[in-house]
Amino acid sequence: MRCFSSAPLLVALTMATAATAAVSPQGTLLDAQEAGWTSSPAGTYRMKVEVLGGDCHRIIADLHVIGPNGTEHRLAGIEGTAFLIADLGRVVVLTHDHPAHIPDRIEVFDFTGRRWIDEQVFAMSDAALSSDGLGLACRTRQGVLLLDLATGGKRLHPNLDPFAAGSAERLIGALPGESVLHIYEAGEPTLELALESRPRRLHLDAAGGELLVLSAEELKRFDLVAGPRSVVHRAKGDEELRDLAVEGKSIRIGLRIATPGRAQGGELIFDQHGALMERQVGEGRDLPPSIELGRVGDRTHVPIPWPIAPGEQNPVGNTYGEYQNYGSSYLHPGVDAMGDPGQPCYAVADGVVKAVLTTSGTWHWRVAVGGASGGTSEGYLYAHLDESSIAVNVGDAIVVGQYLGDLVEWPNNGFTHCHFARIEDSGTQWYGNWLCVDNPHPDFIGQSDPEAPVFEPAVGGDLLAFCANETSNYQDPGALHGEVDIIAHVGDRILTNWVCTVQELRYTIYRAGLPGFPLVDDKQSVRFDMALDTYQGGPIDPFLVDLLYKEDGTCNTNGNYNSREFFHVLTNSDGDEIYEASDAAEAWDTSALGDGDYVIRVTAVDVAGNTSVDSMVVTTANGNPTAVDS
């Protein structure tokens, strides 16, 4: 790292030593230890996570722990989304999953690999250890959970943001939209503190007697026993206070000084009494310029730029509504625009920052931007950002083309990407339980995908597969009878080697030799532009998985890093783009037809409008008189 030495900055931050501060240009405090190592809150243990592999939601890693007097422990092949080390000599493993009706998981292991706690929660986010290192606090769908890592005891509190735990019994936080802190002891509210402005960071000491409150303007200390409060530091000049950490007997503040076109981080270090010990300059960065783009507001289906490299077609690793299975099946609730580690991400529309949160780990930080009101509004999600690069705060006004942060380096398969979605939620602040209202992919400006979708044989050498309606009883295409489902195997590549789901499928059926007299005329099977409640754990997502994709031993749909095979049930739709229970009963009823040869023509269209058409001749055999030309 290098020090930025412009004169205006050094007026505000005079370096006490030659060392560069452990802070990002955006004012996020960095771990001062060797790269890859983290510490327990009280500093009893250090842990390094060595990633071996994994998927979108689970990382497989070896955990290397160093304890008091240099004692070492290793846990091999641990699977999870995030890994924390607690001061009681336990490893906390957090696993976040899709869809949201599958619970997230909190596991606690000792150093022998024995599991002591296995807790399931829904919609986990912003998990953090208590300051005594013996408890874990996280947001869930029901509220903020405080879990005792020694006993497994748990208490549920209201939805607080921000929040901080001093121990497994003490929690403090603010209710959404309030500038009042609520302090809980053993689950019961014991004290309220009114603040002048809404806090950004909180720290409650292990004993529960001292509270630190950081806002953009100042850091305050509260003595919860004796009652007095004091200002530890008030921002100067262009300083914006953005981060807070307590390490041993030191208090660290991360701040940002923004000048036109540049961000500069700084770090202030105080002793336990609040006396300033060091002012250090962090690494500076020339900011990616905001991009001049037309404003589109939050309306759906209007042209929008790509969230990374806005002026050009981005490679795509996963499309909207694409089947995925990393332990459980769901439809992908967004578009994965592929990029490089550290690549800038930009806002595609005006709005207000509604959320800055992680769904449990380093690789899952996200920003949501929605409408200005506290009611229901639409907005956009930008996920998988590097936490230390995030340049915005909840409540900030955003303009189209504004820089939000950088892509985090994905830990496996080189799959660095921005997960982008059009979402809807309500309230002044959002917490991740949003609805995906539709597919934003067709709305990107500058679609330039040269490859059309590709059909592959569904069974053996046959283009299509056939089974009795809503069963896995497959039929010979030379002797179809009764009501049958038609299954197509097709995929699309968008400037990458990753196979994705197509945008639209249609099919036509006609008597062989009579293409001008179709029995089924260009009927739509699916167009991936429906709402998805994958983040909410609602009924839509699992219903659509079963309706639109075939999952059995013959036509085995797969969607992960190792296999991308999409088998679409063409006949499970009445063609009106409203997907409901009655669509599952739809089928090609061959029983009403004269026995004979029929042509099934299938059309696949990708998001850029590229079209592929293929066909197959089949024979019906219901014992009906053979069809003759009229």
Side-chain angles (χ1 to χ4, degrees):
M1 300 199 303
R2 60 187 177 86
C3 294
F4 176 57
S5 56
S6 72
L9 179 61
L10 291 179
V11 171
L13 282 176
T14 303
M15 292 184 62
T17 71
T20 302
V23 64
S24 79
Q26 299 296 344
T28 301
L29 292 170
L30 307 175
D31 199 318
Q33 299 187 72
E34 179 185 349
W37 288 87
T38 58
S39 292
S40 58
T44 310
Y45 294 94
R46 302 169 62 223
M47 182 175 71
K48 187 173 187 178
V49 179
E50 300 169 350
V51 176
L52 305 177
D55 54 42
C56 270
H57 307 295
R58 298 176 181 85
I59 304 300
I60 301 172
D62 288 345
L63 307 180
H64 179 198
V65 180
I66 298 178
N69 303 317
T71 56
E72 296 194 35
H73 311 274
R74 289 186 179 273
L75 284 78
I78 302 298
E79 186 175 338
T81 307
F83 309 90
L84 307 174
I85 181 67
D87 282 291
L88 74 165
R90 303 278 169 85
V91 172
V92 181
V93 180
L94 310 174
T95 303
H96 171 72
D97 214 337
H98 271 326
H101 71 268
I102 303 297
D104 299 326
R105 195 173 183 185
I106 304 170
E107 299 172 277
V108 180
F109 297 89
D110 65 19
F111 294 148
T112 69
R114 176 184 176 186
R115 184 189 289 111
W116 288 85
I117 296 175
D118 189 353
E119 182 72 22
Q120 294 186 337
V121 299
F122 287 92
M124 174 173 58
S125 67
D126 296 324
L129 293 169
S130 58
S131 57
D132 66 359
L134 307 179
L136 178 84
C138 65
R139 182 175 291 105
T140 72
R141 188 176 294 157
Q142 289 74 35
V144 174
L145 174 71
L146 187 53
L147 179 66
D148 189 318
L149 300 178
T151 67
K154 53 189 177 182
R155 304 209 182 257
L156 191 64
H157 301 79
N159 190 15
L160 305 168
D161 187 60
F163 60 83
S167 69
E169 288 293 302
R170 300 183 187 93
L171 185 77
I172 187 167
L175 293 172
E178 289 189 1
S179 295
V180 176
L181 291 180
H182 301 266
I183 301 174
Y184 298 84
E185 183 77 26
E188 297 298 323
T190 59
L191 186 65
E192 291 185 358
L193 292 173
L195 304 174
E196 290 79 11
S197 58
R198 186 158 176 80
R200 286 187 173 175
R201 299 282 190 275
L202 303 171
H203 183 271
L204 183 62
D205 74 343
E210 181 178 279
L211 171 67
L212 296 174
V213 180
L214 184 81
S215 67
E217 301 83 19
E218 60 186 8
L219 174 65
K220 278 189 174 181
R221 182 203 299 271
F222 293 81
D223 188 326
L224 301 180
V225 177
R229 64 183 71 182
S230 60
V231 176
V232 177
H233 177 76
R234 187 169 281 116
K236 303 172 183 178
D238 294 328
E239 290 179 357
E240 178 192 359
L241 309 185
R242 299 201 77 215
D243 207 357
L244 172 68
V246 176
E247 298 174 357
K249 296 184 178 180
S250 350
I251 302 169
R252 299 172 62 200
I253 295 178
L255 59 88
R256 173 176 66 183
I257 294 182
T259 55
R262 189 169 179 83
Q264 182 77 48
E267 180 181 13
L268 306 177
I269 303 176
F270 302 83
D271 67 15
Q272 59 184 322
H273 305 295
L276 180 62
M277 296 191 297
E278 293 182 70
R279 293 176 181 264
Q280 293 185 347
V281 177
E283 187 175 9
R285 176 185 178 182
D286 292 328
L287 295 178
S290 295
I291 298 173
E292 293 297 328
L293 298 164
R295 285 169 169 74
V296 297
D298 63 1
R299 293 172 293 120
T300 60
H301 291 303
V302 294
I304 56 173
W306 291 84
I308 56 175
E312 60 188 63
Q313 166 80 48
N314 289 186
V316 173
N318 291 300
T319 50
Y320 188 84
E322 181 179 310
Y323 177 98
Q324 299 203 308
N325 191 321
Y326 296 95
S328 57
S329 57
Y330 65 97
L331 299 190
H332 186 244
V335 182
D336 287 348
M338 305 298 290
D340 298 317
Q343 190 168 358
C345 181
Y346 302 92
V348 304
D350 297 346
V352 173
V353 177
K354 296 286 192 174
V356 179
L357 59 87
T358 178
T359 53
S360 70
T362 302
W363 302 285
H364 295 269
W365 280 92
R366 56 203 57 210
V367 170
V369 178
S373 74
T376 300
S377 67
E378 291 182 5
Y380 293 94
L381 170 66
Y382 312 81
H384 308 310
L385 302 182
D386 185 335
E387 178 194 7
S388 67
S389 74
I390 294 175
V392 296
N393 307 292
V394 171
D396 287 355
I398 300 297
V399 296
V400 59
Q402 183 171 335
Y403 167 69
L404 301 176
D406 299 333
L407 299 186
V408 71
E409 182 174 5
W410 202 247
N412 52 292
N413 288 275
F415 206 79
T416 297
H417 65 285
C418 173
H419 174 88
F420 177 81
R422 184 183 285 124
I423 57 178
E424 178 185 274
D425 207 340
S426 61
T428 57
Q429 190 165 349
W430 299 349
Y431 299 100
N433 298 316
W434 32 64
L435 176 74
C436 291
V437 292
D438 57 25
N439 186 0
H441 196 168
D443 305 329
F444 286 137
I445 298 168
Q447 305 269 7
S448 58
D449 171 19
E451 294 188 63
V454 175
F455 285 101
E456 298 181 64
V459 176
D462 292 335
L463 172 70
L464 304 171
F466 305 87
C467 56
N469 187 30
E470 289 300 292
T471 74
S472 289
N473 300 322
Y474 284 82
Q475 296 186 10
D476 179 354
L480 297 179
H481 54 278
E483 294 184 344
V484 296
D485 279 332
I486 305 172
I487 301 159
H489 181 194
V490 61
D492 185 44
R493 287 182 171 87
I494 308 174
L495 302 185
T496 72
N497 290 324
W498 298 101
V499 178
C500 297
T501 289
V502 299
Q503 170 69 15
E504 185 177 6
L505 287 165
R506 302 190 303 271
Y507 69 103
T508 295
I509 302 175
Y510 58 88
R511 172 83 166 85
L514 296 173
F517 299 91
L519 304 173
V520 178
D521 189 10
D522 203 32
K523 185 176 183 179
Q524 187 179 88
S525 301
V526 63
R527 189 166 72 93
F528 286 101
D529 197 33
M530 67 287 287
L532 293 178
D533 57 5
T534 313
Y535 288 108
Q536 298 178 330
I540 299 174
D541 180 87
F543 166 71
L544 289 176
V545 169
D546 293 338
L547 183 75
L548 302 177
Y549 293 93
K550 196 68 175 176
E551 301 173 279
D552 61 22
T554 301
C555 293
N556 185 22
T557 296
N558 279 312
N560 53 51
Y561 286 130
N562 300 315
S563 177
R564 301 282 185 97
E565 307 288 344
F566 304 117
F567 292 88
H568 297 269
V569 185
L570 299 178
T571 42
N572 274 2
S573 172
D574 60 11
D576 65 358
E577 290 192 51
I578 299 173
Y579 304 97
E580 50 199 350
S582 60
D583 285 315
E586 293 285 323
W588 180 32
D589 186 2
T590 68
S591 65
L593 302 174
D595 292 349
D597 294 339
Y598 295 85
V599 176
I600 302 174
R601 185 177 67 223
V602 186
T603 301
V605 184
D606 68 16
V607 175
N610 299 311
T611 300
S612 294
V613 180
D614 209 340
S615 61
M616 177 179 177
V617 178
V618 300
T619 303
T620 61
N622 291 284
N624 296 335
T626 301
V628 295
D629 295 350
S630 172

